[in-house]
Amino acid sequence: MDSTPVNWEALDALVIDFAKSEKLIEDSFSSSPPPPSSSSMSSSSYHSRLVIWRIRRSLEAGDIDIAMDLLRSHAPFILDDHRLLFRLHKQKFIELLRKGTVEDRDSAIACVRTALAPCALNAYPEAYGEFKHVLLAFIYDKADQTSPVANEWSERKRFDIAGLMSSVLRAHLHAYDPVFSMTLRYLISIHKVYCFRQGIVSPISDLTQRLLLEERDPPATPHESLYEAPPFDEVDIQALAHAVELTRQGAIDSLRFSKGDLFLAFQNELCTMSLDVSMLDELVCEYCVYRGMVDSSLASTSASDMQTVSEPKVNQPEPGYCSSRNCSLEADSGANKHSDGETSINNTHMDASHENNADVSSRQGVDVELRYACEPTRNHEDCSTSGLLQPENPRVLQRHRTHGTGERSKRKRWRGRHDDQGLIYGVPFDLCSKQELSTTTLFSSTYISNEQEGSGRPSMLDISSREDKYDIVLWMKELASKGMAAEVVEEVNAMDPNFFVQNPMLLFQLKQVEFLKLVSSGDNSSALRVACSHLGPLAARDPALLKPLKETLLAFLQPNEDALVKGMPLHALSTSLQVAIGRRLGIKEPRLMKIMRATLFTHNEWFKLQMCKDRFESHLKIDSLKEVNTPLLTAASMSNSNADSSALGSSQVTISSSTKISEDGSSPTQVSSRDVVCDENAILKVMEFLALPRADAIHLLAQYNGNAEMVIQQIFA
């Protein structure tokens, strides 16, 4: 099975929404701000996130008074909650003692008398016991790691209370992270679980381990009054528990806090996961430049604007949305290399890197259906850029430059992550300087390589012409997305006559588009000339192309011209072309594209194991990321399989195919997929009583003919 096709246009929309929500980009040549009505909600959410970040930073630094002042100004309801107020006063008491001066010790005693003790009486049942325990800090020194209050002295307590306050504030102020940020958390978490359970080595583990961290913020706890809430649907409890890796009780508490709103509870839990924000910004910037949403020259020059920013007072990393230890945008050269003996997702066709790893002769038998953007041509090719934009083609280069100048004005400027006071948001200044400096060199050294491996010739374009490289790639992408296939072939041949010799699949697909456009316009004679001159010879050289050629010719019988045009996956083809030409020019594919291919694949595979539909995929726009236009040639052949897959999981009855253990302990026998029908209630009962994942519950039920009571009896027998 091939890796999951990705709707790159849907990803573009999510990424640009993220960049705008986080104020990472601005219009290239527009100094006037957008109308207030168009961005009021986004600005409000951004302002709330900024307030939460400042409160968090103060708590992590031990500045409890500053944090409480901010809470009084922006979220006074927090101080009305005695449970939270008690924790703040207790931490303030510790911080005063930590300073070690006589004056601060006196202030700590005053804090106990006037604030901590009175609050302990009304906070929660265990609070008074905690109050008496923390008083031992008067006696035991902070350096004594064996003292009974060593945990209270630990600076980890700062981060715990900061995370808790962030969770509560985020929910009450509705200051959630942008959808793309939550989607990435969710997909990567599923990817990690899938790889672990299947015993597979992920090809993107170096990226996912750095991007999604192990730390999570403490969850916001529901108020006591919510403990009397009516029981929640077990379907919701199990869905939430397994989506964000909670215990059953944890899922119930989360639903109580959200007052039974499943999607709000899911959102609250997702945002407690820790992302490396500086690395995420790197990936987004890299992707935006590659896709033409951000101007590469402006992304580089923005670094000089950052050098005058003053250093912030607090440089602690943020657990919930933390900065990278190394902000340099180094090329991910090792992400696509695996040893031959290594068990990897490549064995299940999950190769997210798709490097050139096959010889030209291996074209025989290649899957001839459109690979969309997720499977560029795998032929070995001469990676030097000397074949493109030869000096004898100044007319072509000038045309690209003219086009690029106009298009560049439509692109955004990469602003970077700032706050309203001129402080770098979420990234220490010294690291951020490295990040911006490395952004300057991103497209000049690593992202656009001067000399590709396997090429003995240097590039004909020096580093100063990197904008030309991007303009070429983006112009070809634009022409292909408009269906101007003949023009694409002409321009590419003018730049490099050998390009389509090394990429015959792309040529076949472009000629398909040209043929179908001619048929839809009624010019059958010209369409036949294209088929005879190009499609036929290409299919003759590669027998695997004969079937799609025959199906292409069926377009003569297509009664619906509109459907014919709409059926052509132009955006997918244009992205495939962009990847191939970019690689020819030495432009590396963005790491975010690798992550999305791999994680969407494992998302599909995970829910096949669960034998149900993901209840949250629409909420996170994952369904739109998978909505790739079906190629016209394969629409009929795929319709039945799509219908089958869409029905999977939506039914309340699950059909299981699993291995049944024979009674005598002999070798297992395979149970037919039609032999065992598992009722949804039975699945939920086994999941609830045995605390099992859905897939394990289904497999157990399959062994006992779908009888939940028998499964539970056998387990506890």
Side-chain angles (χ1 to χ4, degrees):
M1 180 184 296
D2 292 328
S3 57
T4 302
V6 181
N7 184 334
W8 300 113
E9 284 64 43
L11 181 59
D12 289 349
L14 284 175
V15 167
I16 205 69
D17 173 73
F18 169 83
K20 288 180 177 178
S21 298
E22 297 290 63
K23 300 192 183 300
L24 297 174
I25 58 175
E26 57 190 24
D27 290 336
S28 304
F29 299 99
S30 176
S31 58
S32 58
S37 58
S38 66
S39 58
S40 56
M41 291 184 63
S42 175
S43 297
S44 174
S45 178
Y46 175 78
H47 174 73
S48 297
R49 292 198 302 274
L50 190 60
V51 167
I52 294 172
W53 172 76
R54 288 171 176 164
I55 293 171
R56 181 175 201 135
R57 282 292 177 266
S58 300
L59 292 171
E60 290 173 351
D63 295 329
I64 310 301
D65 284 335
I66 294 177
M68 293 182 72
D69 287 342
L70 288 168
L71 287 169
R72 288 188 189 95
S73 300
H74 301 283
F77 60 88
I78 292 290
L79 303 180
D80 293 334
D81 188 331
H82 287 274
R83 300 172 306 161
L84 300 176
L85 185 61
F86 172 73
R87 288 183 170 91
L88 288 169
H89 285 316
K90 186 169 69 167
Q91 191 62 37
K92 178 181 178 180
F93 166 69
I94 290 293
E95 297 301 338
L96 288 170
L97 288 181
R98 196 192 306 275
K99 294 179 181 179
T101 66
V102 175
E103 294 79 4
D104 289 316
R105 190 177 184 86
D106 292 341
S107 297
I109 295 173
C111 175
V112 169
R113 290 173 176 171
T114 61
L116 187 58
C119 193
L121 298 174
N122 302 311
Y124 47 89
E126 301 85 3
Y128 194 70
E130 293 179 15
F131 163 69
K132 291 188 293 184
H133 180 75
V134 80
L135 292 179
L136 294 174
F138 277 123
I139 302 173
Y140 294 96
D141 188 78
K142 61 184 177 183
D144 186 356
Q145 297 299 315
T146 62
S147 76
V149 285
N151 184 51
E152 300 292 346
W153 279 116
S154 172
E155 291 192 3
R156 181 68 226 176
K157 280 285 188 179
R158 293 177 174 178
F159 291 90
D160 289 341
I161 193 172
L164 175 63
M165 292 297 167
S166 297
S167 296
V168 175
L169 287 167
R170 188 186 303 118
H172 282 284
L173 299 177
H174 300 283
Y176 297 105
D177 297 326
V179 173
F180 174 67
S181 175
M182 292 189 285
T183 301
L184 208 54
R185 286 177 168 100
Y186 184 56
L187 288 174
I188 292 176
S189 66
I190 289 177
H191 178 83
K192 288 183 175 182
V193 171
Y194 176 82
C195 292
F196 175 77
R197 287 181 62 86
Q198 298 299 109
I200 295 171
V201 177
S202 167
I204 57 168
S205 59
D206 58 328
L207 295 173
T208 57
Q209 294 298 332
R210 290 160 53 198
L211 187 57
L212 184 65
L213 308 179
E214 296 297 328
E215 295 84 1
R216 293 176 71 158
D217 286 341
T221 54
H223 197 272
E224 287 83 349
S225 61
L226 296 176
Y227 279 88
E228 301 301 323
F232 304 110
D233 192 330
E234 188 64 31
V235 175
D236 291 348
I237 295 172
Q238 294 296 336
L240 180 61
H242 293 286
V244 288
E245 299 181 81
L246 295 176
T247 63
R248 184 173 183 274
Q249 186 58 50
I252 292 173
D253 289 342
S254 185
L255 285 168
R256 281 174 176 155
F257 182 79
S258 67
K259 299 180 180 179
D261 189 324
L262 174 64
F263 294 102
L264 195 58
F266 173 70
Q267 206 164 260
N268 289 336
E269 296 298 330
L270 266 187
C271 288
T272 65
M273 298 181 182
S274 302
L275 268 183
D276 184 331
V277 68
S278 64
M279 183 179 181
L280 178 58
D281 289 352
E282 292 171 13
L283 297 176
V284 168
C285 179
E286 188 179 272
Y287 181 83
C288 287
V289 171
Y290 187 86
R291 295 289 288 173
M293 296 180 284
V294 167
D295 195 295
S296 61
S297 60
L298 294 179
S300 301
T301 57
S302 64
S304 60
D305 301 334
M306 298 278 291
Q307 303 308 312
T308 59
V309 179
S310 59
E311 182 175 359
K313 296 179 180 178
V314 181
N315 289 333
Q316 293 288 344
E318 179 176 356
Y321 209 42
C322 78
S323 59
S324 173
R325 293 179 181 271
N326 180 7
C327 293
S328 63
L329 292 178
E330 297 176 353
D332 185 26
S333 59
N336 306 321
K337 299 178 181 178
H338 302 277
S339 62
D340 294 338
E342 184 181 23
T343 303
S344 117
I345 287 184
N346 295 336
N347 296 334
T348 57
H349 303 281
M350 248 194 64
D351 181 6
S353 59
H354 302 282
E355 291 297 318
N356 304 329
N357 57 2
D359 190 79
V360 175
S361 61
S362 67
R363 290 198 304 269
Q364 298 295 332
V366 70
D367 181 3
V368 298
E369 294 178 3
L370 278 179
R371 304 286 184 169
Y372 304 92
C374 68
E375 196 156 331
T377 305
R378 293 173 179 265
N379 303 323
H380 263 315
E381 59 187 65
D382 178 9
C383 292
S384 101
T385 60
S386 57
L388 284 169
L389 287 184
Q390 295 284 0
E392 58 266 22
N393 292 325
R395 179 180 60 85
V396 176
L397 180 58
Q398 181 59 39
R399 193 157 60 244
H400 285 299
R401 285 174 174 166
T402 303
H403 171 269
T405 301
E407 287 300 310
R408 212 173 291 151
S409 64
K410 302 177 184 177
R411 299 173 198 160
K412 306 292 184 181
R413 174 191 175 94
W414 186 260
R415 175 179 179 266
R417 196 172 285 269
H418 304 255
D419 73 6
D420 294 335
Q421 302 300 319
L423 301 181
I424 309 294
Y425 172 56
V427 185
F429 177 77
D430 55 340
L431 295 181
C432 206
S433 298
K434 296 177 185 177
Q435 176 186 0
E436 292 300 327
L437 287 173
S438 112
T439 303
T440 308
T441 60
L442 171 63
F443 313 106
S444 61
S445 59
T446 58
Y447 196 57
I448 301 179
S449 54
N450 288 329
E451 185 171 346
Q452 296 293 316
E453 182 180 353
S455 170
R457 294 174 293 172
S459 170
M460 295 295 291
L461 299 176
D462 60 21
I463 195 60
S464 64
S465 60
R466 67 179 182 273
E467 288 84 7
D468 288 333
K469 293 183 179 183
Y470 275 92
D471 289 339
I472 292 166
V473 171
L474 294 172
W475 185 27
M476 292 299 99
K477 173 177 173 285
E478 181 184 353
L479 291 177
S481 67
K482 293 178 179 178
M484 301 171 68
E487 290 80 354
V488 170
V489 174
E490 178 185 356
E491 293 293 342
V492 172
N493 280 331
M495 291 186 291
D496 183 3
N498 294 321
F499 178 81
F500 287 120
V501 174
Q502 298 161 351
N503 296 273
M505 180 61 67
L506 279 175
L507 179 60
F508 186 84
Q509 293 168 359
L510 286 166
K511 289 300 176 181
Q512 278 182 309
V513 171
E514 184 179 353
F515 173 85
L516 294 173
K517 284 192 69 178
L518 290 169
V519 171
S520 65
S521 66
D523 192 351
N524 292 336
S525 59
S526 297
L528 280 175
R529 279 197 298 273
V530 171
C532 294
S533 302
H534 300 281
L535 296 177
L538 285 169
R541 288 193 292 271
D542 188 349
L545 293 173
L546 284 174
K547 182 179 179 181
L549 175 59
K550 294 174 184 177
E551 293 175 341
T552 301
L553 295 176
L554 290 177
F556 282 122
L557 307 178
Q558 175 63 256
N560 189 338
E561 296 181 359
D562 292 335
L564 184 69
V565 175
K566 292 178 181 178
M568 293 186 289
L570 297 177
H571 288 296
L573 176 57
S574 67
T575 302
S576 296
L577 184 69
Q578 178 186 16
V579 170
I581 295 178
R583 184 175 294 149
R584 186 83 171 101
L585 282 167
I587 301 175
K588 282 192 174 184
E589 188 181 37
R591 291 168 290 175
L592 185 59
M593 295 179 83
K594 301 175 186 178
I595 292 173
M596 297 309 298
R597 288 194 191 99
T599 55
L600 286 173
F601 174 86
T602 47
H603 181 270
N604 276 343
E605 295 303 304
W606 177 249
F607 282 96
K608 287 178 184 177
L609 290 176
Q610 306 304 309
M611 298 186 186
C612 67
K613 184 177 175 62
D614 183 3
R615 297 185 65 183
F616 304 107
E617 67 174 13
S618 177
H619 186 70
L620 295 178
K621 310 297 183 185
I622 295 174
D623 53 349
S624 66
L625 290 171
K626 297 178 182 179
E627 287 177 358
V628 183
N629 287 339
T630 303
L632 177 68
L633 306 184
T634 59
S637 62
M638 292 181 64
S639 60
N640 292 334
S641 62
N642 285 342
D644 293 340
S645 63
S646 64
L648 183 62
S650 60
S651 173
Q652 290 300 304
V653 175
T654 301
I655 301 173
S656 172
S657 173
S658 66
T659 301
K660 176 183 281 189
I661 307 298
S662 58
E663 293 180 359
D664 59 1
S666 60
S667 60
T669 57
Q670 185 69 23
V671 180
S672 168
S673 62
R674 298 296 173 185
D675 287 346
V676 179
V677 178
C678 301
D679 181 73
E680 187 69 17
N681 291 327
I683 297 172
L684 291 172
K685 183 178 291 186
V686 173
M687 290 173 68
E688 176 184 354
F689 277 88
L690 303 182
L692 289 176
R694 183 182 176 88
D696 293 347
I698 292 172
H699 292 158
L700 275 176
L701 285 167
Q703 296 174 27
Y704 293 95
N705 298 317
N707 190 319
E709 287 77 11
M710 188 177 295
V711 170
I712 296 170
Q713 288 173 7
Q714 290 296 322
I715 294 296
F716 288 105

